[in-house]
Structures are given as C-alpha cells and as structure tokens.
Amino acid sequence: MFLLKTNVCIFTEKVKNQAESYVFLSVKFSNCNGKRKVQYESSEPADFKVDEDGMVYAVRSFPLSSEHAKFLIYAQDKETQEKWQVAVKLSLKPTLPEDAVKESQEIEEIVFPRQATKHNGHLQRQKRDWVIPPINLPENSRGPFPQELVRIRSDRDKNLSLRYSVTGPGADQPPTGIFIINPISGQLSVTKPLDRELIARFHLRAHAVDINGNQVENPIDIVINVIDMNDNRPEFLHQVWNGTVPEGSKPGTYVMTVTAIDADDPNALNGMLRYRILSQAPSTPSPNMFTINNETGDIITVAAGLDREKVQQYTLIIQATDMEGNPTYGLSNTATAVITVTDVNDNPPEFTAMTFYGEVPENRVDVIVANLTVTDKDQPHTPAWNAMYRISGGDPTGRFAIQTDPNSNDGLVTVAKPIDFETNRMFVLTVAAENQVPLAKGIQHPPQSTATVSVTVIDVNENPYFAPNPKIIRQEEGLHAGTMLTTFTAQDPDRYMQQNIRYTKLSDPANWLKIDPVNGQITTIAVLDRESPNVKNNIYNATFLASDNGIPPMSGTGTLQIYLLDINDNAPQVLPQEAETCETPDPNSINITALDYDIDPNAGPFAFDLPLSPVTIKRNWTITRLNGDFAQLNLKIKFLEAGIYEVPIIITDSGNPPKSNISILRVKVCQCDSNGDCTDVDRIVGAGLGTGAILAILLCIIILLILVLMFVVWMKRRDKERQAKQLLIDPEDDVRDNILKYDEEGGGEEDQDYDLSQLQQPDTVEPDAIKPVGIRRLDERPIHAEPQYPVRSAAPHPGDIGDFINEGLKAADNDPTAPPYDSLLVFDYEGSGSTAGSLSSLNSSSSGGEQDYDYLNDWGPRFKKLADMYGGGDD
C-alpha cells in the first residue's frame, strides 16, 4: 500500500490573500516495500506548483476563496507511471505560535525505506543519502526551551554506536548556541526565540560518526525557515510631512506622498500596509477636502473650494496599518501631514479711495506728491500681491512718475521733470494698479483698479534770469572812461508777484565796468585795452548779479562778453634784443624781426631803418629788409673793435596811421675763428656782464657772509650756554648754602694756636676791579655793605706760600668748570674778638636766643638757609 501524506502545516494567520511564491506546504511520498522515483503535479497548476523536493507554493497572488480552498497533489511513478493523489485543504483559521510548534513537533522521525537486491544469492542493502525537508519555525516562540524540532537518525544505529552533531550559523558559528543536538538520540532543538527580522533562514549540516569519529553517513543539509509573525508596527519615514497645494485646485490634484515601512515580511500580510486619513483640521469648507491612496500613500484633493485667504493650512492625521489594513488584527501607527495652501493671484489690488490729493512746489523734482494706497488679499510680498502702478492719463509730457514702496505696497507719486507754476497750476492724473503676475484663470474680478490723483502746483519765488546769457557786444579798445556800452537786464519769471530787481557787479577782472543798480546800464570806468592779460582771444568777460526782493530773495547771474576790436596803439619792438657778431663783416650777419602786440592790419609788414644820429650808427652799420617781417643788420666797416654796442633801430608798422618806435639792439662784437665762432668769449663775457649778473654775484657774496657770521655767533653762544650750565646751580642743590659737618675743628679761631698771618695777605690778592668781567665764581661772597671789623696787623709776606695760593686762586677763578670744593674758598678774616662769633658756636646752647641773625637776610641767597634757620625769631 502506498501513502502520500503532508508533513508541514500551513500557518495562515488571518489570511485573506494568497501571496505569490509563498511556500505553505511540503509533501513526501513513501511506500512499504521499496523506493520509488516519483514526480509531483498539482490539480491547479495555474495557482499552485510542487517542486521535486515536495515543496508546494503559490504561482500567483490571488484572494483565497472557497474555489481555491481545495486542490489535489499527484505523485506519479516515473517507471511504472502509477499515480497516487492526496487532497489538500487550505484553512483560514489563525494559527497560534504554540500550535505551530506543536504541529512542527509532529515530525519526530523520518523513516527511510530501503530496497533489497540480490547479489550472489544474498540480499544486499544499497547505501543512500539522507533527505530532510525544511523545518518551518515561527519567530518569537514562548517556549519552553529548549524546544525539540526533529530527531535525526541513521538506520545504522542498530549495529553501530553513533554520535550526531550539527554545524553552521546558529550552531557552532555566530550566532552560536541557537540550535543544539543530542549526540546520542539525534534530537535537534532550539534554545531561544527566533527573530525573522534578524535572520530569516538558518542553513545547518547534520553529521553522523561512530565512536571513533569515522563518518558513517554523508552530511545532510537542514534548512530552518523562520516564519514571520506580526510583531512590528508600521513606521513612517517622517513624523511630520509637509506639502503644498495651490488654492483653487481642482479635485484630483496631487498634493504629496507619505510613506511608512514595516520590518515584517513585505511579501506576507504582516508587512502589507494600508493608509487612511483619520482627521482633517480645520474641517472647512468640507471635512473631506483630501483623500489618500490606501496602498501608495498619495494624497490628492477630492473637493473644490481651497481658498488661502480663508484657510492657509490643513493638518491631516494619517494612519498606516499592516495586515492589509485589518483594523482587528493589524498593527497601526500615525503621522501628521501639514498641507499649506499656496497663493495664486485671485485678488486684484484695489485702491482705498477713488481720488487722491497732493501738492508740489514748482521747479522741484524727485519729491513725493501723493501716497496711493491699495489693498490686496493675496499673500504679502509675493508677485500676486506686489502692485505695479502706471499713469494712464493726465500727464502727456511725462512730468510725473509712480514708484512702488516694497514694504507697504503703496504707490509714491513723484515729480520727474520741473513744473512751472506760471504754465500749469494743477494736474489731474488717472492712475491704474495691477499685480506683477496676471490674475488666475476663472477669476471674475477686473485685472486692475483705477483712481484719480489731483496735484496742485505751489508758486515759489524763482531766480531772475538774463536773456540772452551770455550777451556779446563788439567795441573798439581804447574807449575812454564814462562811455556807456550797453544795457544788461534780467527778467523775473514770477509774473504773479510784484517784485523789483537790482543789479550788482559780480566779476570784473580788470575793473573796467560798472552797472546801474536800477536800469542795468553798463558804463566804462577805465580804458579798455585789448592787449590786457585779462582779455582772452579778444574777449573780455564780466559777470553781473540780478537780485529780487521776494521772500526769500532770489538772484541770477549773467555774463557780458565784450569782443574788443584792435586799434594801432602799440609800437613795434626789435626782436631779439641782444645779438652777437664778429669784428669783420664776414662771415656773420644779424637777422632781426619786430614784435607788435597789435594784430592785423595794425602789425606787419614792418619797415626797418637806422637813425641819422649819432652818425657812427650809419657809418658802422647797415640794415637790409629781407621781407615784411624780417631784416638783416651787418657791419658797414671792415673792422670793429670787440665790445658791446647799442644799435638803435627805427621800426614802423602798417597801421593807419602807422606807429614807429626806436628800439635798441645790444650787439656783442667779438673775435671769431674761420667758422664765425667767437674766440674771446671770456673777455666778451666779462665786459658784457650786465647789471643783473653783477647783482646776482653780490647777492651770493652777501648770503655767504651772513652764513659765516651766523655760524660764528652760534658757536660763541653755545660756549656761553655750556659755561652757564656749569656755573648756574639750583640753590636748593647748592651744598654751599647748607651747613656741612666735616672733621671737628674745635672752637673758633681763638681756640686755635695756628698763626694765620702767613695765609691771610689781602695785599697779595687781586682786587675785584681787575678781574675779568663776567667771570666771577659763585662761591665768592656777594658785594654788599658789610659790617666793619677791627683790622689786624699785616703779617710779613710769606713768600713762596703766598705765590702758590695766588696762583691757585687765579686758576679757580678762571676755571668755571672746577667744583667749588676743589679750590681755595675765599672768606674775609673776621679777626680776633669778632662780634659775629665763631661758626662753631652755632650748636652751642649758650647762644640760642641772645644772638640776632636777621642781618643774614641781607647777605643774599647763599645765606638763605641760615637766615631761615636762625633769623626767624622765636619761631
């Protein structure tokens, strides 16, 4: 008897659609007498297919209904063509993980049929390989663990003691320890729950060896499929989705797409997502303004009436549910879709008033006349809101312009060209406003709005102006003072103002003219001279000012140009004024011309001649006219001594009447070589030094002497400053004004036994009168009235000692750089019994209050310290 049975259960947890290529069944054919080679077929080949290994799977995706709930599987022997069949019934009831484990545990053992063959009269078993069908194991199983899956057994275990093992990822390779096998019984078990999202399939290899480690069976492959469970919620790629849609969009307009993912098997119901909109805020004008494609997540509009001016933004709550959106068994998650309604130009600008008013002073430009305001309901600062203004009437000459304020969208009417009050007192402009982009199609409003602008021109005091300006007149030069030239008046453009104009002179470089302040008559006050440096190209320019008495007073300037006609008022002069020639007539001659400040016809051609006196002129010189402007001067005699000669020449111009002049030509006569060049240049130059050269030489000499004198004075002054620095010492720092304690000398002079007569010789000391002036030591006592002391008798002259002291005294007096303590200090000898007492008694307590020291104030600054210490009375 042959038996065809299924060995794998179908886990159809909440199944509604059968997925394409979904393996849901495994069949195996076996018999009791031997091995047969069979092939499998399905009664519904369009829907189901059976592989050679017995795996049954769906060929296409289709909804599971009663028609597809049953089908047959055929097994046909390839040799005998015998056929067997088995019925397969698909169930829709959900299968719990525990049930799946229970059903999987039904595969406890695979019995391999074996076929006996005769060989030499004996039955002999043929060796074959193991065939293990895939094992389907649901993820997230609750155990208990280890959970037995299948028992692996070799038919040789009856005769041999075998050991079983498995290898591969999940066993002895990472992640290790998930699957274990009993080496004795061959029971394969799982030790922990599986997660399909981490590993969806495990591929293990089973081994059977004897106790010596020898391989008994060939290794076989064990495939463990982790069956997906719905253990993951859908997750949106973004929690907040942002989209835009133009206002006024028609139904069916695409807005945006939201996307969610599910970590479960996307080919199973656990990973099949469906979308829907849970809520819409706000719900105006309709609570269902949008819809979503439940499979793709595309959001589109389903209702008309999107108006940005009413609702600028919609917020949708989107839900994604797996299990094809089954609300009972599917897992869900939500996200937010924010849809912004973008603006289109569906509202034209509208003026806030029909008429606007403004005023502008005349002759002013770039001033704001009026401010035009409009309203526009579109989104601010967009092309649909920005307004453009134009003047459609009332300004044919283009005197006004309108600019748009980018912040307020107002129209600023400005003056582009000056306006004259006397010509136009008022303008009435027609203006239009429209957006930068045209209105959207279907809008029933006019594309633009119009208004009227009334502009009043204000009269202001304007500048008087001269006409013509400049004014050109022609006059001969040489006009006498007091001659009236012309009347130069200005006009006042303010015809509607009663004003007076007065004139003043603004610029008159040569001070030739004056103007009447009332009537503008211009009169000469000096002789006009065309040859004046203030005349350029025969034209003399004078500027006059016209001022009115308006409020505020205004003024204008005008230029009078006098074109001066030439008269013959300048005599010609010889040019050049200096020349040189040789002592003999040959080979040199002098070419001369004439300079006349007048112009034609009062200038050349010129006539050249020599005067009759002195007679030596015509005797020594001759002049020949070359043409109307040039003549040639030559020596008439054979030899003229070298020197400087002044030759008068009579030059007459061609004026009417002609004007003559005797002009002096300075001629330097010198000795020349064969080439006509002077050879005695030094003599001629020395003899020919002019007054200017002599003055220049004298000036240089004077400057040089002044510099030398200044240097000498500076050197002397520097020596004096150096001496003053050494002699002038600050009284506060002068140690000579203070009492310095040296070696104790005992009492006064009377306490000593020294004979001072050898040192005190007043007759050997030079008196003050014979000392050089200005050389006086600071340590000498001042010259003032001093008290009279008894005169001691003079001691004999000490001889060598006195000379030595006098020489040292002279050296100290004449050396201002010597410190005062390095030389002899000169004091008067007080004599015996001095009324002033000895200085050694200053520290004595016996003379504290009995001595009067007020006279120290009369001794000068050197005794100031002593005067302050002892001359202050009780203080």
Side-chain angles (χ1 to χ4, degrees), residues 150-167:
V150 67
R151 188 168 67 90
I152 299 173
R153 186 178 65 84
S154 173
D155 55 1
R156 293 188 179 187
D157 59 354
K158 296 179 180 180
N159 302 322
L160 299 173
S161 177
L162 303 181
R163 298 293 183 268
Y164 301 96
S165 64
V166 291
T167 60

Side-chain angles (χ1 to χ4, degrees), residues 568-575 577 592-598 602 606-611 623 647-655 657-665:
N568 194 14
D569 57 346
N570 292 279
Q573 299 177 4
V574 67
L575 191 71
Q577 295 181 354
I592 61 175
T593 185
L595 173 64
D596 196 332
Y597 293 106
D598 294 326
N602 297 319
F606 300 99
F608 300 90
D609 197 2
L610 297 175
I623 190 168
V647 180
I649 299 174
I650 302 174
I651 305 176
T652 305
D653 60 20
S654 299
K659 204 171 188 64
S660 298
N661 181 35
I662 298 177
S663 185
I664 302 300
L665 174 64

Side-chain angles (χ1 to χ4, degrees), residues 497-761:
M497 296 183 182
Q498 301 297 327
Q499 299 179 147
N500 296 326
I501 298 178
R502 297 186 65 83
Y503 304 94
T504 56
K505 184 172 64 174
L506 190 61
S507 174
D508 183 11
N511 197 24
W512 288 344
L513 308 174
K514 70 175 182 178
I515 186 170
D516 188 281
V518 177
N519 55 25
Q521 287 186 355
I522 298 177
T523 308
T524 63
I525 58 175
V527 178
L528 305 184
D529 186 5
R530 191 197 66 84
E531 291 75 29
S532 170
N534 297 307
V535 178
K536 307 297 181 183
N537 298 324
N538 302 327
I539 296 177
Y540 179 75
N541 292 314
T543 305
F544 300 92
L545 182 69
S547 303
D548 61 20
N549 59 349
I551 300 176
M554 304 299 290
S555 61
T557 59
T559 301
L560 177 66
Q561 293 184 341
I562 305 176
Y563 187 89
L564 294 174
L565 304 176
D566 186 41
I567 62 175
N568 194 14
D569 57 346
N570 292 279
Q573 299 177 4
V574 67
L575 191 71
Q577 295 181 354
E578 293 183 356
E580 65 179 27
T581 186
C582 298
E583 294 177 331
T584 59
D586 295 327
N588 289 340
S589 60
I590 301 173
N591 293 327
I592 61 175
T593 185
L595 173 64
D596 196 332
Y597 293 106
D598 294 326
I599 60 177
D600 291 337
N602 297 319
F606 300 99
F608 300 90
D609 197 2
L610 297 175
L612 297 177
S613 62
V615 294
T616 57
I617 299 301
K618 282 201 170 186
R619 183 184 64 189
N620 297 337
W621 305 92
T622 179
I623 190 168
T624 303
R625 182 182 180 187
L626 299 179
N627 54 36
D629 294 328
F630 292 93
Q632 194 174 71
L633 181 67
N634 295 286
L635 279 174
K636 190 175 182 180
I637 59 179
K638 294 182 178 181
F639 177 81
L640 183 63
E641 185 179 357
I644 297 177
Y645 298 87
E646 293 184 353
V647 180
I649 299 174
I650 302 174
I651 305 176
T652 305
D653 60 20
S654 299
N656 187 18
K659 204 171 188 64
S660 298
N661 181 35
I662 298 177
S663 185
I664 302 300
L665 174 64
R666 292 171 54 87
V667 180
K668 298 178 181 179
V669 180
C670 61
Q671 295 179 0
C672 300
D673 54 14
S674 59
N675 297 325
D677 298 328
C678 291
T679 58
D680 53 349
V681 177
D682 295 339
R683 182 170 58 86
I684 296 301
V685 170
L689 283 178
T691 305
I694 296 174
L695 291 177
I697 294 173
L698 292 176
L699 182 61
C700 292
I701 295 174
I702 293 173
I703 293 175
L704 182 60
L705 292 176
I706 292 175
L707 292 177
V708 172
L709 181 61
M710 291 177 62
F711 179 74
V712 173
V713 173
W714 176 76
M715 289 295 294
K716 290 185 176 181
R717 185 171 183 180
R718 190 179 66 172
D719 293 340
K720 291 182 178 181
E721 290 179 353
R722 185 182 300 172
Q723 295 175 4
K725 288 181 180 179
Q726 296 295 332
L727 296 178
L728 297 178
I729 303 176
D730 188 0
E732 294 292 335
D733 298 331
D734 192 355
V735 298
R736 293 167 296 183
D737 290 345
N738 298 280
I739 298 177
L740 301 180
K741 182 177 181 181
Y742 295 96
D743 292 340
E744 182 66 34
E745 297 177 353
E749 291 81 352
E750 297 180 352
D751 297 334
Q752 304 296 333
D753 296 331
Y754 304 122
D755 184 10
L756 300 179
S757 60
Q758 298 297 327
L759 299 178
Q760 183 64 27
Q761 297 294 335

Side-chain angles (χ1 to χ4, degrees), residues 190-223:
V190 61
T191 62
K192 64 173 70 175
L194 303 181
D195 189 353
R196 189 205 68 84
E197 287 72 37
L198 296 179
I199 302 177
R201 172 178 291 189
F202 293 91
H203 192 176
L204 306 177
R205 303 201 76 183
H207 305 269
V209 297
D210 57 16
I211 58 176
N212 296 322
N214 299 320
Q215 180 176 311
V216 177
E217 299 283 358
N218 292 332
I220 62 172
D221 294 334
I222 301 176
V223 177

